[in-house]
Amino acid sequence: YKGMNFLVRFAVFGGVFDTVHKGHIRAAEIVDSCLHPDVLLFVPAGRPPHKRGRRINTCADRLNMLKIAVENAFGNRAVVCDFEVNSSELSYTANTLAHLKAVYGSDSEHFFAIGADNIAKFRTWHRPDIIRALSTLAVVARPGFDQSSAKLAFPESVICEGESVRISSTFIRRLASEGQDFSQYLPEGVDEYIKKRGLYPKEVTDPEEIKRFLSAHVKEPRIKHTLNVRDEAVKLAQKYGADARKAEIAALIHDVAKN
Ligand code: ATP
Ligand code: MG
């Protein structure tokens, strides 16, 4: 679009997208039908400043999942932007919008979409003043959060009316860790990718279940060795005041992939 002689309206969707879900797609549909942007631009975060405590899936996997989801939903009107995932810096929306403005210049207008859960948090983001100067906030409802406070907090924002769905990536990751099926919450094509890549595995913390896995996949002398290591690890944990259960699990899995 660069250099063309007309105004291009971008709706920008930032997020971690670990994993992308139907709630994201629905939110984008709401923004789309309210604002009629020319381009739906999805920007997955590379190093999200707000999620430093948790391990997130790789940029490549989150990018691929998002590409599958938005291409199926919006075809070539949607673009997944790799600006943040290709940067080693912390991912700040203010920087990303400045980059977009530098690339597309005065030919472009940017809406930055946020779910209502981000209204209160927005002030803790990096340089909210720059975000508001470079874009118009487009606020989408999110079940469980108050959308009406947006106009008070940001009078210039646009409220995008439409019924969103109660899904979060956190909820999906929890289902996954418990070994429950979460495919119904995923946009078309994403479930297949997750299965192929083995993402979001069930978390196994039951020693008996680990031992059953060992019996099926590890050779007998090594199982004996593993159980001895387990006994020693538990003893050491008790002696030094560490968590004996964690020590037991760590010892049981320490050679699990050897064979
Ligand atoms: P997590 O639970 O890990 O925070 P999430 O489901 O909130 O994940 P994010 O990647 O954090 O997903 O969200 C990206 C953007 O999409 C945010 O602006 C968020 O408010 C919005 N969003 C996410 N889920 C929904 C939903 N169900 N309805 C409306 N907006 C949503
Ligand atoms: Mg979130």
Side-chain angles (χ1 to χ4, degrees):
Y1 292 96
K2 189 169 161 51
M4 289 189 164
N5 228 352
F6 55 85
L7 185 74
V8 180
R9 287 155 62 94
F10 290 84
V12 182
F13 301 86
V16 182
F17 302 108
D18 188 22
T19 169
V20 60
H21 52 67
K22 282 181 177 167
H24 292 127
I25 300 299
R26 181 72 198 117
E29 285 168 354
I30 292 171
V31 171
D32 192 27
S33 62
C34 289
L35 301 173
H36 307 290
D38 300 296
V39 184
L40 304 166
L41 192 78
F42 293 81
V43 191
R47 297 180 54 206
H50 285 94
K51 307 242 158 139
R52 266 176 287 187
R54 173 173 82 74
R55 236 187 71 223
I56 58 176
N57 273 302
T58 62
C59 290
D61 280 326
R62 289 182 295 109
L63 194 71
N64 289 337
M65 290 189 285
L66 193 56
K67 278 183 180 166
I68 293 168
V70 304
E71 198 184 309
N72 281 330
F74 302 106
N76 58 13
R77 292 192 46 233
V79 176
V80 179
C81 166
D82 58 10
F83 176 70
E84 289 186 8
V85 300
N86 282 340
S87 166
S88 54
E89 315 266 299
L90 285 177
S91 307
Y92 292 127
T93 297
N95 295 349
T96 303
L97 290 171
H99 164 76
L100 292 174
K101 212 63 191 179
V103 172
Y104 297 103
S106 53
D107 294 342
S108 65
E109 181 182 13
H110 294 95
F111 294 92
F112 186 71
I114 57 169
D117 57 306
N118 277 317
I119 298 170
K121 288 185 224 158
F122 185 77
R123 291 193 191 285
T124 71
W125 289 20
H126 179 67
R127 298 304 303 264
D129 53 326
I130 294 183
I131 300 175
R132 289 170 74 183
L134 295 177
S135 69
T136 304
L137 289 179
V139 183
V140 185
R142 187 155 190 186
F145 294 89
D146 174 29
Q147 188 185 18
S148 64
S149 61
K151 269 288 174 203
L152 251 150
F154 324 110
E156 79 287 0
S157 65
V158 190
I159 306 289
C160 296
E161 304 285 351
E163 208 172 312
S164 52
V165 287
R166 189 182 287 275
I167 306 175
S168 72
S169 304
T170 302
F171 171 64
I172 293 175
R173 289 192 304 270
R174 205 189 68 221
L175 289 180
S177 74
E178 292 167 355
Q180 298 194 53
D181 179 38
F182 53 92
S183 53
Q184 61 178 304
Y185 304 110
L186 300 174
E188 196 191 324
V190 176
D191 187 39
E192 226 180 333
Y193 182 88
I194 287 177
K195 292 216 167 88
K196 195 175 78 196
R197 295 274 304 128
L199 306 177
Y200 308 105
K202 180 185 171 193
E203 260 174 37
V204 178
T205 54
D206 174 10
E208 293 309 314
E209 195 171 347
I210 300 172
K211 278 192 253 168
R212 280 196 293 279
F213 183 91
L214 290 171
S215 304
H217 297 279
V218 178
K219 289 179 187 151
E220 186 45 54
R222 195 170 295 281
I223 294 182
K224 194 164 170 237
H225 154 75
T226 296
L227 295 177
N228 287 334
V229 172
R230 188 264 327 260
D231 292 345
E232 198 61 24
V234 169
K235 257 192 244 160
L236 289 169
Q238 282 161 349
K239 179 171 175 186
Y240 292 106
D243 186 329
R245 191 179 157 78
K246 284 186 180 171
E248 179 181 15
I249 293 167
L252 283 175
I253 64 171
H254 86 279
D255 264 354
V256 85
K258 271 278 166 40
N259 297 124

